[in-house]
Each structure stands twice: as structure tokens, then as C-alpha cells.
Amino acid sequence: MPSGNPVLREKAFQGLPVTGERMTLNGTVTRTALLLVLAVITGGWTWQRFADVAAGGDLNAALAAISPFMWGGLLVGLVLALVTTFVQRWAGITAPLYAIAEGFALGGISAVMNLRFPGIVLQAVMLTVGVLAVMLVAYRSGWIKVTDKFRLGVVAATGGIALLYVVDMALRAFTPIQIPFIHETGAIGIGFSLLVVGLAALNLVLDFDMIDRAAEAGAPKYMEWYGAFALMVTLVWLYMELLRLLSKARR
């Protein structure tokens, strides 16, 4: 797997019929921007619904008002992600729907986080966009070279973090134990979050490299939507990790 992104495997681009136009990295980035706009629109709707109900002073009612959209967005997004991963040709339809579903979920999470830490969401959004732009420029300009050792290191580290999160979720679900530095706000906890944010940023570089190599191999135009979907998966992870880091710093 040449990318730490679980949906951006090399075999996803193999054996595809080559007809008509070919995919490009620029086309993929453009479609990623469209997906981000869709996510922001639905996220803004959930946010506004929460704010309208919370304005009455009943936070429990506000949470109840957005819970169906949050959980529904997460579940529908998961289903659409699986469908897109296995049927890449449908990505032109499923990727925008995935962005819409994720927007509902992220909008609710963001509204709750912003209520606790005012201004944190704007900071996380600006940082996410900024990291995306910097990583794209760094990749296109050749400042970051994607070598086999670089790729192996990022993929191995990403797998290790994923395993650590799974263990933490299992411990929290069945025992009172949790892995301290994932959630605590001390120097070690903040340092861990900085490490994960950096790893998510490096995964964007691997995503760009995988998409670029697929384009050079002549992948069909519709795979731009699949590449955009894969970038969205990494960006959602990056945004959530930035929220975690900023909330630790605020606490």
C-alpha cells in the first residue's frame, strides 16, 4: 500500500479501462475543492440549527436537535465510503454524497466544540486549508521528495497510530482505562497531537504522489472523483486532529 490512506490503494487504479480523457492532479484538486464546499454547506446548516436551539438556553435540546444529523451523517458517510472504495466508477455520485454526509456530522461536532472553546473551529478550518495548500505546493515544487523510505515510514507510522486508537477505543468501551497522552493536556499529550497532525499532513503528500502516478499511468477521468474522495478522507482526519490539538492547548 503506497499511501497511508486506507482508500487510496494502488490496486484501485489497476486494470481500469483507458478511454477518452485522463485524470490529472489539478483536476483532482479542483474536485476536492468542490467536495469541501459541499461539506461546508451542510456543516453550516447543522451548526446553525444547533445555534438556533441553543439560543433558547437549553443545550440538551440543541444536542437532541442535531444528533440525528450527526449520527446519520457518520453512518451514511461510512456506507458511502465503502461503496466508493469498491466501485470507483460511481465516485462521481458517491463522493459528493459522502461530502454532504460528512458535513452534517462535522458541523454538529464543530458546533459543540466551538461552544466549549469559542473560535476553535475557525482556527481548525484555516489551519486545515493552510496545511493542504502548503503540502500541495511542497509536493509540486519538489521540496518534499516521495522516496520508498519516506513512503514506508509514513505508512508504518500511520498504521501504528491507527492501532493505538483502536486499542484506546476498546479500553474505553470495556474498561475504565484510557491511554493518557491521547486525551490529556500536558506537554506529552500536546506533543503527541502535534505528531499526529504532522503525520496527517505527510499523508497528504503520499496522496498527491499516488494520484500523480495514477494520472501518469493513464487512469480515466472519472478517477479524479475517486482521488478527491480519498483526499477528503485524509482532510477529515487532519481537521479532527487539529480540533483535538487546539482543544488541548485551550485546556
Side-chain angles (χ1 to χ4, degrees):
M1 184 171 63
S3 172
N5 190 326
V7 304
L8 200 57
R9 298 171 181 266
E10 190 171 18
K11 66 180 182 181
F13 296 92
Q14 294 175 346
L16 298 174
V18 181
T19 57
E21 292 186 82
R22 313 289 180 86
M23 75 175 295
T24 64
L25 178 59
N26 288 339
T28 303
V29 171
T30 299
R31 281 158 177 73
T32 303
L34 293 175
L35 297 185
L36 288 173
V37 169
L38 291 175
V40 168
I41 291 173
T42 53
W45 186 90
T46 309
W47 176 300
Q48 190 59 49
R49 182 174 177 82
F50 177 84
D52 290 342
V53 179
D58 191 343
L59 294 182
N60 289 330
L63 286 172
I66 64 172
S67 288
F69 300 97
M70 287 176 57
W71 290 107
L74 287 172
L75 293 175
V76 172
L78 176 60
V79 172
L80 288 169
L82 291 173
V83 171
T84 308
T85 301
F86 290 104
V87 191
Q88 295 94 341
R89 185 177 288 276
W90 293 358
I93 297 174
T94 56
L97 293 177
Y98 168 81
I100 290 171
E102 285 297 304
F104 281 123
L106 293 176
I109 295 170
S110 300
V112 174
M113 291 292 291
N114 199 71
L115 181 66
R116 187 176 180 186
F117 307 106
I120 193 174
V121 171
L122 180 60
Q123 293 173 353
V125 169
M126 295 298 290
L127 283 171
T128 301
V129 174
V131 169
L132 173 63
V134 169
M135 290 297 103
L136 180 59
V137 170
Y139 172 74
R140 294 304 296 266
S141 63
W143 296 343
I144 299 179
K145 300 291 186 181
V146 181
T147 63
D148 288 341
K149 289 184 178 180
F150 176 85
R151 186 179 295 112
L152 179 61
V154 174
V155 170
T158 303
I161 294 296
L163 179 60
L164 187 64
Y165 279 174
V166 169
V167 171
D168 179 67
M169 287 188 290
L171 288 174
R172 297 178 69 190
F174 301 106
T175 71
I177 303 172
Q178 63 180 17
I179 300 176
F181 53 83
I182 294 181
H183 308 284
E184 292 183 356
T185 60
I188 295 178
I190 292 176
F192 174 78
S193 288
L194 281 170
L195 174 65
V196 178
V197 166
L199 187 59
L202 292 178
N203 267 277
L204 285 173
V205 177
L206 292 192
D207 291 350
F208 295 144
D209 177 65
M210 180 73 256
I211 293 167
D212 221 4
R213 289 191 291 118
E216 290 176 1
K221 190 72 172 177
Y222 68 81
M223 289 299 289
E224 289 180 347
W225 283 109
Y226 186 79
F229 155 72
L231 283 174
M232 275 291 296
V233 171
T234 302
L235 287 171
V236 168
W237 175 35
L238 174 62
Y239 173 72
M240 293 301 297
E241 292 297 342
L242 283 168
L243 275 182
R244 186 195 298 271
L245 172 62
L246 292 171
S247 68
K248 285 182 178 181
R250 290 288 189 92
R251 296 200 302 270

